Amino acid sequence: MPAAPALRAALASALLLAAATTQAQDACPHRGDLDAQFCDANRDLVADTPTDPKRLKDPGTLVFAFTPVEDPAIYEKLFRPFMGHLSQCVGKKVVFFPVQSNAAQIEAMRSGRLHIAAFSPGPVNFAVNLSGAVPFAIRGNDQGPVGMYLKMIVRKDSPYQKLEELKGKRIAHTSPSSNSGNLAPRALFPKIGLTPDTDYKVVYSGKHDQSILGVKTGDYDAAPVASDVLQHMTERGVVKADDFRVLYTSEMFPTDAYAYAHNLAPELQGKIKQCFFDYKVPPEMAKGLGGDRFLPITYQKDWELVRTVAASAGELFTREAFDKAAAGKK
C-alpha cells in the first residue's frame, strides 16, 4: 500500500504541471498561424518580442545569412562592406553565414543560431510562422521597393488587345510549383474574368524564359511571366521590348525580406533597423542585388499578395507542411 500515496502524489504533480503548461499557453491571447512557442497579441501576424527579460537575447556576435544561392562566396563578397558597416553601427561583431537551403536557414533562426537574415519571398511565410522571424526591410531605390510584377504578354503584332480576347487560346504557364509562373495566375486571373484551364488551355513551358521565347516564336498565344526575367532577357538582347504587348500587370511581388529574430533585445532591434536604413549601398552591391538602399516594410502589409497567392493554391505554412517541403514531398 505505500506505493499508492506515492502514485497519487506523482499523478497530482503531473496534473499540476499540465495545468501550469496549459495556463502558460492560454496566457497568449492570440497566436494565429504562428508556432506554439510564439505569441501575436497585437495581431500583426509576426511573433511578439518576449515580455520576460530572461527570454531576450543580446548576443556579442550577430550572425547574418543571405537567402540560399548557387555560389554563396559571390554574395558574401557583395555583403562584405555592409557587414563592416553593420558591425560598426551596432557595436558588435557581425559574421556572414552561408546557408545551403531555405529549410536550413529557417531552422537556424528557430534554434537561435541566426539573428538576421534575408529570406526568399516564398519561404518568408515559413520563417515568420516557425522561426519567429520579423521582416523589417526590403531592397529598393528612390522610386520605392524593388520587386517583381506578373505580366501577361502577347506578340506585338498579335490581334489581342484585352485579356478577355485570350479565351480559348493556348497560354504558357511555367511549371505547376512556380509561384509567379503558375500559382499567381491561378489566384489572380479569375478575379478579372480569365480562369486558367477553364477559359484557356494551360501549356507548361518549364521556365519563364521559355514562355517568353515561345510567345515570340508563336508557339503560345500568350504567357504570364515574371517582369525581372523579361527585363534581363531584354537587357541581354535575347528579345526586344517591342516584341511584345503587355495586357496585364499585377501588383508588385516583393523580393527578399530582411528579418531579425523576434527575441532580440528591443534596443538591439532598433539599432539593427536604423543601421539598415542609414546604409548607402555601394554601386557593386546595388548592381549585384538590385536596389541602392534598404526600405522599411511590414509582413502584414507587404506580404499580403504572397499570402493571397499561397492561400489560393491551398498552401499551408505549418510545421507539417515545412517538414514535407524540406523532405521534397508533395
Side-chain angles (χ1 to χ4, degrees):
M1 295 303 293
L7 181 61
R8 286 197 294 270
L11 180 59
S13 297
L15 291 173
L16 286 173
L17 179 60
T21 301
T22 301
Q23 184 176 5
Q25 291 177 341
D26 290 344
C28 176
H30 178 75
R31 186 166 286 112
D33 293 331
L34 301 181
D35 209 32
Q37 62 181 302
F38 309 120
C39 189
D40 180 22
N42 61 3
R43 296 175 181 263
D44 64 354
L45 305 185
V46 298
D48 298 336
T49 301
T51 56
D52 183 356
K54 295 179 181 178
R55 295 181 57 200
L56 296 175
K57 305 295 182 182
D58 190 10
T61 297
L62 292 175
V63 180
F64 171 88
F66 188 64
T67 181
V69 289
E70 291 183 7
D71 191 349
I74 293 177
Y75 289 86
E76 183 174 4
K77 181 180 178 181
L78 283 176
F79 274 98
R80 196 169 295 155
F82 177 69
M83 295 290 97
H85 159 78
L86 187 59
S87 177
Q88 185 176 21
C89 186
V90 299
K92 295 176 180 290
K93 183 179 179 180
V94 180
V95 297
F96 186 96
F97 173 56
V99 291
Q100 302 302 316
S101 68
N102 293 312
Q105 187 181 34
I106 290 168
E107 286 291 0
M109 181 165 283
R110 179 183 175 90
S111 67
R113 293 179 288 112
L114 180 62
H115 309 114
I116 311 170
F119 292 99
S120 297
V124 166
N125 302 296
F126 278 123
V128 167
N129 288 355
L130 302 183
S131 71
V134 181
F136 68 93
I138 194 171
R139 297 189 304 274
N141 51 42
D142 58 359
Q143 297 178 339
V146 173
M148 182 279 293
Y149 298 86
L150 178 68
K151 293 180 177 289
M152 177 72 94
I153 61 170
V154 297
R155 278 175 58 119
K156 188 71 170 287
D157 60 1
S158 76
Y160 313 121
Q161 300 289 334
K162 301 177 181 179
L163 279 178
E164 53 262 35
E165 295 173 358
L166 294 175
K167 290 185 177 181
K169 306 303 178 182
R170 282 168 47 91
I171 298 180
H173 287 204
T174 55
S175 63
S177 62
S178 172
N179 190 314
S180 57
N182 183 54
L183 300 181
R186 292 183 182 278
L188 302 177
F189 287 177
K191 300 176 183 178
I192 52 179
L194 196 67
T195 302
D197 287 325
T198 299
D199 293 327
Y200 66 80
K201 179 177 177 58
V202 172
V203 183
Y204 290 113
S205 68
K207 298 187 295 183
H208 284 285
D209 54 355
Q210 292 175 356
S211 291
I212 292 168
L213 291 174
V215 172
K216 180 182 178 181
T217 59
D219 291 338
Y220 313 120
D221 295 303
V225 299
S227 63
D228 55 346
V229 178
L230 181 59
Q231 180 179 348
H232 293 329
M233 292 181 69
T234 301
E235 292 173 347
R236 297 199 311 270
V238 179
V239 297
K240 298 178 181 178
D242 59 6
D243 287 339
F244 308 103
R245 180 184 301 120
V246 178
L247 303 187
Y248 168 86
T249 301
S250 72
E251 297 178 42
M252 188 188 75
F253 284 84
T255 56
D256 310 316
Y258 292 79
Y260 56 73
H262 80 293
N263 58 350
L264 294 182
E267 183 180 355
L268 179 56
Q269 293 180 15
K271 281 185 178 180
I272 290 171
K273 289 192 286 187
Q274 195 59 53
C275 293
F276 267 78
F277 301 144
D278 287 345
Y279 187 61
K280 295 181 179 179
V281 177
E284 184 179 3
M285 182 176 174
K287 183 179 179 181
L289 296 173
D292 59 9
R293 67 198 69 185
F294 293 105
L295 299 174
I297 58 165
T298 65
Y299 176 71
Q300 187 171 33
K301 174 181 177 294
D302 297 286
W303 247 254
E304 183 178 4
L305 183 58
V306 178
R307 293 195 304 273
T308 297
V309 169
S312 298
E315 291 189 37
L316 298 175
F317 296 98
T318 61
R319 164 55 61 175
E320 181 181 5
F322 174 77
D323 290 341
K324 286 184 178 179
K329 299 177 182 178
K330 297 293 184 183

